Amino acid sequence: MQNQTNSVLTVEQQKKLSLTGVESVDAFSDTEIRLTVAGKKMRIAGTGLKVLSFSKGNGAFSAIGEISLIRYGGAKGKFFQRLFK
């Protein structure tokens, strides 16, 4: 049986992001943040991005900035990007 990790993503007015279940912060800059969440890659793109907090112990992550794209698990579609238009 696989060990499942639940993740919850909250985006507030395209300016604040909170996420649970984060395993690692792989890279970050003011235009892009790359994370590993439940074994899958996540990419957050925008402008003025800043990591506010990350707790490896409980997987809690938060960031602020102008969020324009979220891509999860190498998905080909741009589902989250369409949400922000």
Side-chain angles (χ1 to χ4, degrees):
M1 179 179 265
Q2 287 184 345
N3 193 10
Q4 282 191 325
T5 302
N6 289 329
S7 298
V8 176
L9 171 66
T10 306
V11 179
E12 299 174 29
Q13 298 180 355
Q14 279 184 258
K15 300 205 183 286
K16 183 175 181 184
L17 178 137
S18 301
L19 181 62
T20 62
V22 176
E23 295 170 0
S24 66
V25 177
D26 303 324
F28 64 91
S29 70
D30 64 338
T31 59
E32 182 176 74
I33 301 171
R34 292 186 180 264
L35 308 168
T36 300
V37 181
K40 295 184 180 178
K41 300 296 181 181
M42 176 178 273
R43 177 178 168 243
I44 302 157
T47 56
L49 298 176
K50 293 182 184 178
V51 174
L52 293 179
S53 65
F54 171 56
S55 172
K56 188 163 180 123
N58 65 12
F61 174 86
S62 65
I64 59 170
E66 188 69 31
I67 301 163
S68 60
L69 175 134
I70 299 173
R71 181 168 285 168
Y72 180 71
K76 301 282 185 208
K78 295 182 179 177
F79 173 74
F80 287 112
Q81 187 176 19
R82 288 191 305 255
L83 286 177
F84 295 139
K85 289 193 175 195

